[in-house]
Amino acid sequence: MITSRSNMKPTYQDVTGISKSAQKCASATSSSNVLQNSLPYEFDFTSYKVSDCISVLSLDIHANCDSLYSSQVDQSLVCLVLLAGSPVTLHAPGRPAVLLEHKHPVIINFADGDSLELWLKAGTRCTLGGISLCPDVMKSQPWLTFADELAPLTNFCAQPHHLMKLPPSSRLVNLANETLSREYDGFLKQIYLESYVLSFVVEIIHLMQRTASQSAGPNSKHLGKAIAAREILDSDIANPPTARELSQRVGVNITTLRIHFRMAFHKSISAYVHDQRLARARDMLRTSTMPIADVSYSVGYTNAAAFATAYRKHFGYPPSQEVIAFQGDVSTGER
């Protein structure tokens, strides 16, 4: 059961030093193994400003009970990698939830006022490391604009609300761990962190190039068809057309549509429908007072139990926890 939400909102771009926060869990119920008045989590968050546009990040967090860590983020490009501990579910508005796994960096293009959320299970302890780049970094760091090899990063920066999970990288983990263990001061620290950021960015671009080479994108004609198909699905996600009907509506054969839809959006048509239904259900659970069963029906599920199972599998917790976290009450019927 999610019992608390942090009201501490460190800003990744501007906060320096270490922020510490601990809140009390809500009173435990008879069915909960969470002790009353225990602390939901404790964390150390550090953001060291290397320059006006670049920060080095670290977060060490320990959850004493199931809880939600939430941080407000300025407009920035953030890359995080799990250095140690248990995998955690990461979510940012407008993007699918992603499991943050050891060595797998996640890169996120945040808009101003976005938030980053980590869903933590009781006993979870994890350490994250990474960097944050503000929108003006291309102007302040000329080396980011000179080479064609840097195009994957610059193109990513041009896509609002974009998120990408990259292949595993022991090099990034080693870089981040070494940086956290170094204790340089003054100008030496500044030089060291600048070299760290440069190495980190180079490795990120290398991973993005590997990802792109492993899956060539669709040509512009087929990309347009894939986008048109997605728009049709989004217009009625609860009652989407079949793949064959969809291909007929956009004017391309079903095999071609399936291939280029996956190339464009990195998932099958059915997986896209599944993920969008659950994403919309999540938004409704957070912002409306509809019963959970009604929410499940409104996004296309005909069975509330099947919806609850799919929701738990996708997000790592049941829909009732979403309601508790954001509205403080729950019912599968009326609420």
Side-chain angles (χ1 to χ4, degrees), residues 33-270:
N33 60 2
V34 178
L35 296 177
Q36 185 172 356
N37 294 331
S38 63
L39 301 174
Y41 58 77
E42 302 168 10
F43 72 87
D44 285 350
F45 171 77
T46 305
S47 175
Y48 183 86
K49 292 184 70 172
V50 180
S51 70
D52 288 340
C53 293
I54 300 175
S55 296
V56 173
L57 313 174
S58 69
L59 173 65
D60 184 76
I61 190 163
H62 180 206
N64 297 315
C65 59
D66 291 0
S67 51
L68 169 65
Y69 170 86
S70 179
S71 289
Q72 188 170 333
V73 187
D74 286 343
Q75 185 178 2
S76 57
L77 185 73
V78 173
C79 181
L80 295 173
V81 60
L82 179 65
L83 305 179
S86 307
V88 291
T89 300
L90 181 151
H91 179 259
R95 310 158 184 85
V98 62
L99 185 65
L100 197 57
E101 300 175 281
H102 188 233
K103 297 184 180 180
H104 282 266
V106 172
I107 184 169
I108 314 161
N109 197 2
F110 284 105
D112 197 30
D114 272 354
S115 62
L116 180 148
E117 299 173 352
L118 297 176
W119 290 91
L120 306 164
K121 294 184 178 180
T124 296
R125 178 149 200 169
C126 60
T127 301
L128 309 178
I131 61 172
S132 172
L133 310 176
C134 79
D136 291 333
V137 69
M138 300 301 176
K139 300 176 183 177
S140 64
Q141 304 293 326
W143 51 268
L144 282 175
T145 61
F146 288 158
D148 291 339
E149 289 85 350
L150 302 180
L153 182 63
T154 55
N155 292 340
F156 187 92
C157 291
Q159 302 179 64
H161 305 291
H162 202 36
L163 179 150
M164 181 183 294
K165 186 175 182 178
L166 297 171
S169 171
S170 296
R171 177 171 171 76
L172 280 186
V173 173
N174 293 337
L175 277 170
N177 279 326
E178 183 179 355
T179 301
L180 294 177
S181 63
R182 294 286 182 174
E183 296 184 355
Y184 295 120
D185 293 317
F187 188 60
L188 288 180
K189 182 175 184 178
Q190 182 73 20
I191 295 175
Y192 177 75
L193 289 178
E194 286 181 359
S195 67
Y196 161 74
V197 169
L198 180 57
S199 298
F200 203 98
V201 170
V202 168
E203 178 65 9
I204 287 295
I205 294 172
H206 171 66
L207 295 173
M208 295 175 82
Q209 289 174 332
R210 278 179 50 193
T211 302
S213 65
Q214 291 170 358
S215 176
N219 61 40
S220 58
K221 175 184 175 181
H222 290 136
L223 176 60
K225 299 292 186 181
I227 292 174
R230 182 183 65 175
E231 291 175 349
I232 291 172
L233 295 174
D234 287 343
S235 67
D236 191 4
I237 202 70
N239 299 286
T242 65
R244 187 169 300 280
E245 292 169 342
L246 192 60
S247 67
Q248 292 171 349
R249 289 176 64 175
V250 300
V252 68
N253 72 66
I254 187 171
T255 301
T256 299
L257 177 61
R258 282 173 169 162
I259 291 172
H260 289 90
F261 192 96
R262 183 182 290 275
M263 284 184 177
F265 305 115
H266 309 292
K267 61 184 68 177
S268 67
I269 294 171
S270 60

Side-chain angles (χ1 to χ4, degrees), residues 256-301:
T256 299
L257 177 61
R258 282 173 169 162
I259 291 172
H260 289 90
F261 192 96
R262 183 182 290 275
M263 284 184 177
F265 305 115
H266 309 292
K267 61 184 68 177
S268 67
I269 294 171
S270 60
Y272 179 82
V273 171
H274 173 268
D275 291 351
Q276 288 300 108
R277 281 176 167 175
L278 292 175
R280 292 195 184 184
R282 184 180 195 176
D283 289 341
M284 294 173 69
L285 291 172
R286 290 182 171 189
T287 59
S288 77
T289 57
M290 290 177 62
I292 293 175
D294 288 354
V295 169
S296 71
Y297 302 144
S298 70
V299 297
Y301 282 84

Side-chain angles (χ1 to χ4, degrees), residues 285 292 318-331 335:
L285 291 172
I292 293 175
S320 57
Q321 287 192 354
E322 200 79 68
V323 179
I324 293 172
F326 284 85
Q327 301 191 35
D329 191 13
V330 62
S331 172
R335 60 181 174 94

